[in-house]
């Protein structure tokens, strides 16, 4: 009988953090570790942490009843490109969720999320495709998160916040709570710097840093 094949796409730092979580899921679903591989377009080694590393074409040439692939690459445009490729090839974009993730009521989450250890997602929350929530991040009530959004470790996203597609929130950033009907909005492709404290909306494509968070000036960039 042909088996399902599972893979973590991206065999670098984040991929190596995701792999043990993926392995646990495979075991919980009654699979074995040899059904689980890394996929990388620029492999640096043929085996990493006990798993074979293959190129994408090698993966798709394998015999399997179905493929499940988690995209463990932080850069969101790359994630989108791979996501669309997988869908076009009829491959399932796999969600990885650490065992101790807390998820409360009425959460709608699209495919391909990676929820690292100690993540909490509370109630009445919508999340788009391929969301990455790294270690200890949280999303509080009534937030709407778009597609290909990335939270680095320990992001604190309070209630009534809207985060548009491809936004990147760096380690330890805090986003102030919005109000019902008047959320704090983080724009499309916006970047919130490490440890920033966001108290008002961030326009599309803007990088903000500091407390209170303000757009990164050209002067700051020259420093
Ligand atoms: N990668 C890939 N296909 C792509 C882009 C990246 O297979 O189109 C791989 C790349 O070779 C590397 C990993 O994904 O092994 C990304 O690693 P990186 O160090 O950039 O980021 P992180 O581990 O933080 O996501």
């Amino acid at each position: 009988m042909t088996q399902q094949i599972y893979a973590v796409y991206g065999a670098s730092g984040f991929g190596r953090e995701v792999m043990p979580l993926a392995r646990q899921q495979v075991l919980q679903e009654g699979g074995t570790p040899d059904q689980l591989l890394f996929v990388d377009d620029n492999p640096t080694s043929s085996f990493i942490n006990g798993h074979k590393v293959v190129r994408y074409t090698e993966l798709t040439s394998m015999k399997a009843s179905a493929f499940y692939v988690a995209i463990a690459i932080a850069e969101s445009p790359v994630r989108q490109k791979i996501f669309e490729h997988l869908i076009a090839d009829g491959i399932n974009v796999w969600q990885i969720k650490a065992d101790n993730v807390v998820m409360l009521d009425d959460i709608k989450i699209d495919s391909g999320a990676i929820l690292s250890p100690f993540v909490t997602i509370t109630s009445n929350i919508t999340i788009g495709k391929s969301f990455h929530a790294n270690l200890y991040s949280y999303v509080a009530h009534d937030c709407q998160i778009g597609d290909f959004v990335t939270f680095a470790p320990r992001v604190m996203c309070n209630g009534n916040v809207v985060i548009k597609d491809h936004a990147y929130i760096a380690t330890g950033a805090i986003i102030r709570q919005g109000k019902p009907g008047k959320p704090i909005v983080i724009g499309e492709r916006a970047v919130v710097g490490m440890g920033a404290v966001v108290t008002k909306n961030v326009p599309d494509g803007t990088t903000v840093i500091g407390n209170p968070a303000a757009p990164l000036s050209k002067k700051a960039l020259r420093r």
Side-chain angles (χ1 to χ4, degrees):
M1 202 180 77
T2 46
Q3 289 185 315
Q4 295 176 337
I5 290 181
Y6 300 88
V8 172
Y9 207 130
S12 188
F14 187 52
R16 283 183 284 109
E17 291 179 333
V18 169
M19 181 53 94
L21 310 174
R23 188 162 58 238
Q24 199 165 16
Q25 280 185 206
V26 169
L27 295 175
Q28 278 163 1
E29 284 162 26
T32 54
D34 62 318
Q35 285 171 264
L36 179 59
L37 320 164
F38 279 110
V39 176
D40 203 287
D41 297 315
N42 294 294
T44 53
S45 165
S46 56
F47 248 86
I48 295 179
N49 293 350
H51 296 275
K52 208 172 167 198
V53 185
V54 298
R55 288 176 189 274
Y56 183 68
T57 46
E58 216 182 311
L59 177 84
T60 52
S61 67
M62 289 175 173
K63 270 213 158 64
S65 57
F67 292 98
Y68 292 86
V69 177
I71 312 169
I73 297 175
E75 218 177 300
S76 71
V78 174
R79 223 148 78 218
Q80 181 171 14
K81 186 191 74 181
I82 293 172
F83 188 102
E84 287 166 359
H85 206 138
L86 294 175
I87 297 293
D89 288 348
I91 290 177
N92 302 292
V93 187
W94 190 26
Q95 175 179 288
I96 303 293
K97 180 161 85 70
D99 259 0
N100 64 359
V101 167
V102 173
M103 293 175 88
L104 303 180
D105 276 341
D106 187 27
I107 298 166
K108 294 182 186 72
I109 185 160
D110 211 330
S111 51
I114 296 183
L115 309 175
S116 295
F118 303 100
V119 162
T120 298
I121 300 175
T122 71
S123 298
N124 306 99
I125 290 163
T126 308
I127 296 175
K129 300 181 179 81
S130 197
F131 176 50
H132 281 188
N134 213 318
L135 306 168
Y136 292 97
S137 290
Y138 71 76
V139 182
H141 65 88
D142 300 296
C143 286
Q144 282 174 43
I145 295 187
D147 294 332
F148 307 104
V149 169
T150 309
F151 281 13
R154 222 179 260 290
V155 167
M156 290 163 263
C157 178
N158 291 300
N160 287 110
V161 168
V162 171
I163 303 186
K164 301 280 183 71
D165 298 351
H166 289 282
Y168 178 85
I169 320 295
T171 302
I174 303 174
I175 306 172
R176 180 189 184 161
Q177 175 162 321
K179 294 192 177 78
K182 201 171 182 296
I184 297 271
V185 180
I186 310 291
E188 198 172 318
R189 290 173 212 278
V191 175
V192 175
M194 274 191 287
V197 178
V198 177
T199 57
K200 55 186 188 191
N201 294 351
V202 177
D204 291 352
T206 302
T207 297
V208 295
I209 57 168
N211 177 8
L216 186 62
S217 65
K218 290 203 174 96
K219 202 167 142 199
L221 276 173
R222 281 198 296 274
R223 273 209 294 265

